[in-house]
Amino acid sequence: MSSENLKKSTYEYGANAVYIAELYEKYLNNPTSVSQDWQQYFAQIGDSVAQVNDDFLSNHWGKERSQIVGYEKKPYSYERRTGKTGRRNQDKFKGGVSQEVLDSINAQMLISAYRSRGHLIANLDPLGLTVHHAHPELDPARYGFTEGDYTRQIAVGGWLGYDKLTLNQILDILKQTYCSTFAIEYVHIQSEEKKKWLEQRIETSLGKPNLSKEQKKNILQILLETSGFEEFLHKKYPGTKRFSAEGGDGLMPALDAVVKRAAELGVDEVVIGMPHRGRLNVLTGFMGKPYVAMLSEFNGNLAIPDNINSSGDVKYHQGFSSDKNFGGNNVHLSLSSNPSHLEAVNPVVAGRVRAKQDQKQDKNREKVLGILLHGDAAFCGQGVVAESLAMSDLDGYACGGIVHVVVNNQVGFTTSPTYAHKSPYPTDIAMMLQTPIFHVNGDDPEAIVHAAHIAAEYRAKFKQDVVLDIWCFRKHGHNEGDEPRWTQPKMYKVIDAKEAPSEVYAKRLAAENAVSSDEFAGMKQAFYDRLETAFQGANSYKPEKADMLEGKWTGFKQAFGGEKPKVETAVDIEKLKKIGLKISEAPGVDIHKGVEKVLQNRRQMVETGAGIDWAMAEALAFGSLLLEGKPIRFTGQDVIRGTFSHRHAGVWDMQTEAITFPLNNIDASQKKLEIVNSNLSEYAVVGFEYGYSLAEPNALVLWEAQFGDFVNGSQIIIDQFITSAETKWLRMSGLVMLLPHAYEGQGPEHSSARLERFLQQCAEDNIIVANCTTPANYFHILRRQMCRDYRKPLIIMSPKSLLRNKAAVSNLDEFGKGTSFKRVLPETDKLKEDKKIRKLLLCSGKVYYDLVEERRNRKIDDVAIVRLEQLYPFPAESLATEVSKYKGADVVWVQEEPENMGAWTFVDRRIEKVLVEARSKSTRPVYVGRPESAATSCGYMKVHKYQQEKLINEALG
């Protein structure tokens, strides 16, 4: 069927109106004479024209009167709605279709078309470069109307409080509501409730806000401060990068309006994430950072006190927090620090919001709001946007809806929209979430405020994301040193002739007698004087403090350098037995026989005190922390069961599929474990959990990769946040990343968590990298994460085959009094005297078990094996203690990974330094492992076995 024929087959096609009316007539005479689909449709309509209109248009808000200047106000006809039902109007159809019914049906289809397509002809582009052609579905002729029909009264069944309107009036209302400087896309939403709410909210206001003079003056003040600050910076610091907000000035009243309305609806805290464009204005004009502090940074001064250890970052990446009053409501604001990966902050903000909601026990998600600002090119181009949207409605990640504000510059650096997206808008990706998308003209701040109000209200009511797309422009190119006319000459010819939005709005208010031109000039001068005063004081300004250890972080400290003192991580054995027995109890439901066996084995472990495996050690660590008042949040793909079917943190009822979490039933006063199987995402999920850990230092927050190889899907979060945020932005995190890692012949996608990449980024005591080999050490390192008075991200190369290796177990007394995490594990077998050891093997992770097994098989007693359980911070002191025992031995570093990967290039010089200081015979370690490789591992089991045998032989030979 051709597209044109397809259109003609729909009820929206005007020529079909007569056919529909005739079907309706047949239905009234004999309901069974039409198909079942039409029976259902007509049964909903009823028999009166008023009722037809009412149901079709969803106008259950007819009592609310809109103020339409020049229209005759008609009293609402309750009689028509409540009159007799049945076949009262049946006679009207005998001998032909009633013109009244035909007009009404046609009008209904026209209104429906404007609701769905009106945005396509809206006046959205402040530059006037986007050409809107008349859309065929919005042409009254399509629905059978002719030139003579425009002034005839048509029954509209109480729409907007009117029983009848002329076609001219209907079109006028529709164009004001759906095709002005304000437009909306919402018909993709499947929920009838949400669509009805939007129609009522928008149509009763005709797409415009009802603002007082004072409110309009406030909008003008925000706009002039936005442009005024940018102009001041341009004058005082010409050519300095600032990523000006000019052209996108409407962002500022949008933020003010969203937060003001949200505060009225109960929000008391807002977390914001944004890219660099306009950030300096958001920091000062919206967040309240003192202008003198910002100007001091422009003068080259530090943004933090001299005694704080930080490498810092550029001005337009920095975060800030403040308390501010919005219309009588106090709101705490926090702007998240963000790198130049524009959308990377999206899941981080969502995670912070979720954590703050959990802290406030805000189960209805009413008190904490997330706002994300975007550029048009980034919103449609960056994959993390889609990942973040996809997880926003999931139970484990929902935070009650985020308000997205797109600063639509209509260009991305030098890329025009036609090269960035072929759909009408850069925001079309948000349709996947069935969220409303508001489009507004950036030159109309009142339309922006109107959309912002509705966005805040929609989010409050439906707890779902909402998108505000502000069409604007970018006055100075990508940055103030860029020449945009090379690539967008036509656009910048128009921009060069544009007045600032504040000037445009000031003239509009002057015409309305709301703010005179003299009053506006006075407002501008007062603000300029304020900036000049701040400029004069900028050089002498000294920041008083850094805010990284306030709020929930009060009592924590920064930690740098050297091996840290041991902290108490041991747990009383009787307490561990209580935990172990409790979590081994069958939950009293129909469980799988295999899981029943797992629970029985765990019970045996604690009863005998032997054979504690990896999963049980983890459960004991979790249980002990929960009893100590430390909540746990644990997410990742398949984490409840565990990718390798080892964890079984949740037990499924085989009949109902209800899940029981044994760790949440140890004691009535304990904290809770929240463990969630994530959607198939690494980037957004890791960002979310990192954000959660930023806001909640008192919870153990973990993310586990399905296989460690897949962690590279979150590499931007690792590089820009996890490994560098403390030194750049003074933001600490205790996030734990569990990355299954080991070479077991499973190919290049199931072997390596890229240990070398983490080690390459290790510096300034920024993270902890470990490759534990015993369940007891795993237990202690998890507990150590929460028992210290500081927080560092913990990266663990977690096991795969060791999860069930009978040699990789611990005794219960290794968890009890006097025990702790061991950075270096010494030789455990009985060998020759230390001085007779000919070779000392240093290694980390699973390869230890391969080495020790073969050494025992060959009955070798002059080769010692020492394990580095923590690779960073490098345990030089602990290693020196072990190396000193074997001063006459040759020292070898053994690893499974290729020579250009793994830990070798990181530990090489560090081990050398230890050897030299210990006066060992060997002054440098020798490498034994796989040769250099482009792929992380080979893909053939035969080759894998050959390589593994070769390195074991070389190491022990």
Side-chain angles (χ1 to χ4, degrees), residues 182 197 201 208-211 215 218-219 253-262 264-265 403 438 445-460 466 468:
F182 168 96
W197 185 90
R201 180 65 177 85
K208 296 178 180 179
N210 184 18
L211 301 174
Q215 288 173 315
N218 179 61
I219 294 171
L255 285 175
D256 181 76
V258 167
V259 177
K260 194 169 291 182
R261 187 71 184 103
E264 293 170 353
L265 296 169
V403 176
F438 299 99
E446 292 185 15
I448 294 171
V449 167
H450 182 53
H453 286 163
I454 301 175
E457 293 164 10
Y458 182 91
R459 181 266 172 194
V466 62
L468 171 56

Side-chain angles (χ1 to χ4, degrees), residues 677-917:
N677 285 342
S678 74
N679 59 327
L680 201 65
S681 161
E682 289 83 35
Y683 192 166
V685 173
V686 172
F688 189 100
E689 302 311 329
Y690 170 77
Y692 197 101
S693 71
L694 285 179
E696 183 48 278
N698 295 307
L700 180 65
V701 183
L702 308 98
W703 175 79
E704 181 176 66
Q706 193 177 64
F707 283 85
D709 308 64
F710 306 151
V711 71
N712 56 13
S714 59
Q715 198 65 48
I716 290 173
I717 297 295
I718 295 167
D719 295 348
Q720 302 299 331
F721 293 93
I722 292 171
T723 63
S724 59
E726 183 175 359
T727 186
K728 288 191 300 188
W729 306 320
L730 300 175
R731 288 295 175 260
M732 288 170 279
S733 162
L735 177 66
V736 178
M737 301 179 74
L738 302 177
L739 312 178
H741 170 92
Y743 281 60
E744 291 156 342
Q746 299 302 310
E749 298 303 321
H750 298 86
S751 299
S752 176
R754 290 291 192 176
L755 171 61
E756 66 280 355
R757 290 183 179 171
F758 290 98
L759 294 175
Q760 185 184 38
Q761 296 185 69
C762 288
E764 300 181 279
D765 225 354
N766 58 337
I767 59 176
I768 304 162
V769 181
N771 195 357
C772 302
T773 57
T774 72
N777 235 11
Y778 179 51
F779 167 90
H780 286 295
I781 200 170
L782 288 178
R783 286 187 47 79
R784 187 183 73 170
Q785 192 72 355
M786 297 305 296
C787 295
R788 286 172 160 174
D789 57 1
Y790 60 90
R791 294 289 180 261
K792 302 283 182 180
L794 170 61
I795 316 301
I796 298 181
M797 302 290 113
S798 56
K800 294 182 289 186
S801 64
L802 294 190
L803 296 171
R804 291 178 176 82
N805 189 318
K806 297 300 183 182
V809 294
S810 300
N811 294 325
L812 198 58
D813 58 12
E814 295 176 68
F815 302 73
K817 185 176 181 181
T819 63
S820 62
F821 177 71
K822 295 179 173 59
R823 297 175 176 90
V824 175
L825 285 177
E827 174 59 63
T828 58
D829 285 5
K830 185 171 179 58
L831 305 175
K832 288 183 175 180
E833 299 177 59
D834 292 348
K835 64 182 180 180
K836 294 182 179 180
I837 296 297
R838 66 179 174 85
K839 187 180 284 190
L840 171 62
L841 306 183
L842 304 177
C843 65
S844 185
K846 173 200 150 260
V847 73
Y848 164 76
Y849 289 94
D850 299 328
L851 290 168
V852 76
E853 180 183 17
E854 192 60 27
R855 185 184 67 180
R856 290 168 181 169
N857 290 340
R858 299 182 187 185
K859 296 182 171 51
I860 297 173
D861 61 0
D862 59 356
V863 177
I865 307 173
V866 171
R867 288 166 273 175
L868 270 66
E869 298 283 286
Q870 177 176 295
L871 292 161
Y872 187 81
F874 188 73
E877 296 172 26
S878 300
L879 181 60
T881 300
E882 298 305 316
V883 166
S884 297
K885 298 176 183 177
Y886 315 106
K887 290 186 177 181
D890 294 328
V891 178
V892 177
W893 173 259
V894 187
Q895 67 178 37
E896 299 177 298
E897 302 90 345
E899 187 173 2
N900 57 320
M901 301 176 195
W904 168 241
T905 55
F906 179 81
V907 301
D908 178 18
R909 297 297 181 185
R910 289 172 172 83
I911 294 174
E912 178 184 358
K913 184 177 180 181
V914 170
L915 294 174
V916 170
E917 291 179 355

Side-chain angles (χ1 to χ4, degrees), residues 436-598:
I437 303 170
F438 299 99
H439 305 283
V440 289
N441 187 312
D443 265 1
D444 188 348
E446 292 185 15
I448 294 171
V449 167
H450 182 53
H453 286 163
I454 301 175
E457 293 164 10
Y458 182 91
R459 181 266 172 194
K461 181 170 180 60
F462 297 109
K463 304 298 184 294
Q464 188 187 29
D465 288 27
V466 62
V467 178
L468 171 56
D469 175 26
I470 304 175
W471 283 54
C472 50
F473 56 93
R474 187 191 62 188
K475 184 172 181 179
H476 295 293
H478 180 65
N479 61 60
E480 286 62 36
D482 180 44
E483 177 48 81
R485 291 157 191 82
W486 289 340
T487 51
Q488 276 77 35
K490 289 184 179 179
M491 174 183 281
Y492 277 86
K493 186 175 182 180
V494 177
I495 290 174
D496 289 342
K498 284 283 294 181
E499 286 186 297
S502 58
E503 300 291 338
V504 175
Y505 190 52
K507 290 178 180 178
R508 174 175 167 180
L509 295 188
E512 295 176 8
N513 293 319
V515 177
S516 70
S517 56
D518 288 344
E519 189 177 2
F520 178 56
M523 293 164 65
K524 289 174 66 177
Q525 186 60 50
F527 181 64
Y528 183 87
D529 292 345
R530 180 180 163 195
L531 292 178
E532 187 61 41
T533 300
F535 180 73
Q536 296 302 324
N539 273 332
S540 58
Y541 175 80
K542 294 289 184 184
E544 296 178 359
K545 63 176 182 177
D547 64 353
M548 74 281 196
L549 297 176
E550 297 179 350
K552 285 288 180 178
W553 287 89
T554 300
F556 290 91
K557 66 180 184 180
Q558 282 190 292
F560 296 99
E563 288 192 27
K564 309 298 184 299
K566 290 182 179 179
V567 295
E568 184 63 43
T569 57
V571 178
D572 180 75
I573 296 293
E574 291 305 314
K575 187 175 183 180
L576 289 174
K577 286 183 176 180
K578 173 190 172 182
I579 296 168
L581 292 173
K582 195 69 178 174
I583 65 175
S584 301
E585 291 178 358
V589 296
D590 183 10
I591 64 175
H592 193 279
K593 296 299 181 184
V595 176
E596 189 175 1
K597 179 65 174 174
V598 169

Side-chain angles (χ1 to χ4, degrees), residues 37 49 73 108 174 222 226 274 315 328 330 334 424 433 490 528 551 562 564 606 663 668 727 793 951:
D37 289 344
V49 173
K73 181 62 66 178
Q108 291 162 6
L174 290 171
I222 294 171
T226 302
M274 69 174 298
K315 297 178 287 294
N330 292 320
S334 56
L433 200 60
K490 289 184 179 179
Y528 183 87
K564 309 298 184 299
V606 292
L663 279 164
T727 186
L951 74 88

